[in-house]
Amino acid sequence: MSAAHPDSSAQRHTEAQLLALRALYASLPRLECQRLCHGSCGPIVMSALEWDRLAERHGERACDDDLVCPHLERDSGLCGAYEVRPLICRLWGATERLTCAFGCRPERLLTDAEVEALVSRVEALSGGEPRSVWPGWARYLEAARHNERP
Amino acid sequence: MAAMSGSVLNLARHCLEARALDPSSAGRTAFTFAHSYTDAALDESWTYAEVWERVQRVGRGLLAHGLRPGDRVLVRLPHSPEYAFAFFGANVAGLVPIPASPQLTSEEAAFLRADADAAAVITTPELRLEGFAGVEVLADELARLDGPGLLPATAPEDPAFLIYTSGTTARPKGVLHAQRSVLGRALMRDAWEGFGPQDVTLHAGTLNWSYTLGVGLMDPWAAGAHAVLFGGDYDPAGWPRLVARLGVTVFVAVPTVYRQLLKYGLPEGPAALESLRHGLCAGEALPPSLLEEWRERTGRDLYESLGMTEVSTYISSGPATPVRTGSPGRPQPGRRVAILPVEGDPTPLPPGETGLLAVHRSDPGLMLGYWRRPEEEAAVFRGEWFAGGDLAALDADGYLWFHGRADDVIKSFGYRLSPIEIEAALASCPGVAEVAVVGQAIDEAKTLVTACVVRNPDAATPVEEADLARHAEAHLAGYKRPHVYRFVDSLPRTANGKVQRRVLLEQLSDAPA
């Protein structure tokens, strides 16, 4: 089912984890997108499983200093990795805290509790440390940990 | 609805979601639809994650057609994987699927559609309902079906599916089941089926039947097992090949299929069904001779269960309830079952007395009610109990002895006779292949007990009326012995294998005496 791996890290996860991830995504609301919100495509964070899935198809990419998501196709304003975009992108515009500034709304916004449940499900499914297209993420995370436990 | 009660439960989600999202089980095969007994290349299989993904997509796609939770959806499809995805997809969206047989005539299907006021029909170009103005979804579209919306939460008391049964009335009536029915099924799993995650189950039935939807898919899925269904050309000799090819551990069928399997399909020797742990049967009473032959030739147990469309199965033998020949077993632990007087005050009768078999209204597997049939519904709910018309007695050990349907009871010369009891006695007469007993009214006052016998073609000498009469004399009280014996080539049976006593009576009255 999968294409050749451009990056060996993609093999750390099993087919079963990827199948389960797809089954979970199938429960998420989708928006009739007007393709106006690409200004929001920033230094996103995702589970290790989603990182590997993305990297498998599109390689491991990192933000430039402008912190725009490296998978955004700047000319068209479209996502270059739409099929394998992670949970955070799928939740954009669909939850009470991440409403779309351009008015796209699903039939019902997901509540905080539902979002938390989804995030923890993906984390449990993935295991490992979350990853980000922003190279400073790991350092940021480390600093945050130190702040929590001085 | 769900938000008000605070409690959330959905049948399809309950069966599938946890295993689909758990990486240790997501990739395991949940469902195989075998199109051939022998050719593995024709199998279609899905993992737990794939089934759950597809079921959700179908549900969302149906909602995108403008359907709303509670809307009825007639599933009129051939026996196929699409049938399963349509049924569970509708359920997960809070819609109410109505599983219909593809063998129904257009007129019969149109009756179901109208009676249920179904807003949608899932069908094929060959089976589509003419003149239906609602939402039509074709089987080919199911694989691509999807929608943008969220699946709604459903509550335990919300409707889950509507299943039509011919039952005792002239026109079929809809039995409306709740989402909680899936909790009632858990009691069956432990007491009867014995399914676990390592099992490969094979149900011989087709998906329009609640027996197949339940024991063939819902229960193995809820147990984490691999559920196999078959949809190729029927051949009794094919079952052992399929059992061997897929390593089936539990085979599920009606007694008729077991009978055919033993007669035409089972190779000799202990290796014939090597992977099998036990068999399950329901749908009609298991004749003791069939059970004995099965045990003798396979060395495996065959656990019977008694149920009805309104409650599914609730009395059974199983891994922890040893089989007692002639009894379908004991009430499953967790259920309240009683025998009530046929008429009058619904106070349970003591062990040993025959009456109406009743299930307590608190049973999670009990139907919500009959769809828009208040009178028929009032007739089956008696106080705290649901009594569907089966006659039975419980013995001191809690085993149930079935005495037929209350409306099958033959009232002859002042006696109330159970055809089942008389049939069981005659079935043990040498040379008898099958027997059905009916009451033939010859005038307003007299009803004769008539035994219709199918001779065993392999018997050394054909059984004659005198042999049967002698056998009855030895085994039955005088008032229970048939007055008339008729030899017939076969017994009329429903598609599910149940003897149609009414059809048999009509045939008798048409035939010269």
Side-chain angles (χ1 to χ4, degrees), chain A residues 20 22-23 26-30 125, chain B residues 20-21 23 49 53 56 60 146-148:
Chain A
R22 278 183 50 126
S27 70
L28 298 172
R30 286 197 316 272
L125 198 54
Chain B
L21 300 185
E53 181 183 351
Q56 291 181 92
R60 294 157 55 121
D146 200 355

Side-chain angles (χ1 to χ4, degrees), chain A residues 1 14 16-17 19-20 22-32 107-110 114 121 124-125, chain B residues 13 17-18 20-23 26-27 47 49-50 52-53 56-57 60 63 68 146-151:
Chain A
M1 272 170 60
T14 64
Q17 282 172 294
L19 281 167
R22 278 183 50 126
L24 186 132
Y25 286 161
S27 70
L28 298 172
R30 286 197 316 272
L31 301 171
E32 289 302 318
E107 280 175 3
R108 178 174 77 75
L109 292 169
L110 291 170
E114 286 172 321
R121 274 211 144 117
L125 198 54
Chain B
R13 190 179 291 276
E17 186 179 49
L21 300 185
D22 177 345
T47 63
E50 287 168 336
W52 179 232
E53 181 183 351
Q56 291 181 92
R57 289 191 190 282
R60 294 157 55 121
L63 294 176
R68 287 290 160 260
D146 200 355
L150 275 171
L151 291 167

